[in-house]
Amino acid sequence: APAPEGVALFFTSSSGGKALQLYGPAVEGGSSLDVSYDQPWQYDPTTNEWTEIPIPDWLDCTTDAAVTFGCDWSIVPDIGSLTLEVVTERGLVARVPDGTVGLYDAAVGAWTRIDDPPFELWMPTTAVVGDHVIVAPWRAGTNDFTQIGVLDLTSATWTTDQVVIPPE
């Protein structure tokens, strides 16, 4: 099936038997489209259908100037998602536009809110081990470079640990 009008053929991950476009491309052909994607999408190859991914119920999508992120689900395609987006056996763990984290179960089309992360999730590196997502922040900004976060998906909570980095 063709993508809905205005939706690019661009996928960021897969989960629950569906190809997900959590974030839409904001740049095409090297020039800015100046477009804000306010709706993530999913494609189901078994039914050959595109459907909207529901907006998490805790996400404020107002256009009020006081709202920092609104519902802009845009990324630069050449770079990919600069935030947390990792597939686990329980679903997709992702940072949504307001900076919060959720678990998306594509099989049922529902989000579950996760505790706030212990540090800024900007270009994190991740590893999935069973029901745990291990996250290390990128070495920029105000992050503490010796801290890692472990997201326990059974309790939807984070713990942190200090990592001793020996001097060079």
Side-chain angles (χ1 to χ4, degrees):
E5 187 173 337
V7 176
L9 292 176
F10 176 84
F11 300 103
T12 58
S13 54
S14 63
S15 183
K18 296 177 176 64
L20 307 178
Q21 185 190 88
L22 195 62
Y23 294 90
V27 175
E28 185 174 274
S31 62
S32 174
L33 293 174
D34 196 26
V35 172
S36 173
Y37 284 85
D38 60 3
Q39 178 62 58
W41 290 85
Q42 61 190 8
Y43 173 74
D44 186 336
T46 60
T47 62
N48 193 28
E49 292 180 327
W50 286 83
T51 55
E52 294 178 345
I53 292 175
I55 301 297
D57 60 3
W58 69 87
L59 182 58
D60 183 1
C61 292
T62 64
T63 57
D64 184 334
V67 177
T68 305
F69 295 98
C71 277
D72 186 358
W73 297 80
S74 302
I75 63 167
V76 179
D78 293 343
I79 298 173
S81 178
L82 298 177
T83 66
L84 180 66
E85 184 177 352
V86 62
V87 177
T88 71
E89 289 182 7
R90 293 180 177 260
L92 179 75
V93 175
R95 179 187 177 274
V96 300
D98 70 349
T100 60
V101 177
L103 175 67
Y104 179 64
D105 184 342
V108 298
W111 286 92
T112 302
R113 177 82 159 78
I114 302 288
D115 274 354
D116 288 334
F119 41 70
E120 183 180 355
L121 294 172
W122 182 258
M123 294 180 67
T125 57
T126 61
V128 178
V129 179
D131 282 337
H132 296 90
V133 178
I134 297 96
V135 180
W138 185 54
R139 294 179 177 247
T142 60
N143 287 332
D144 176 355
F145 309 136
T146 64
Q147 188 178 53
I148 62 170
V150 178
L151 173 58
D152 182 340
L153 295 175
T154 58
S155 65
T157 59
W158 293 86
T159 56
T160 59
D161 198 2
Q162 293 298 116
V163 177
V164 177
I165 300 175
E168 293 182 48

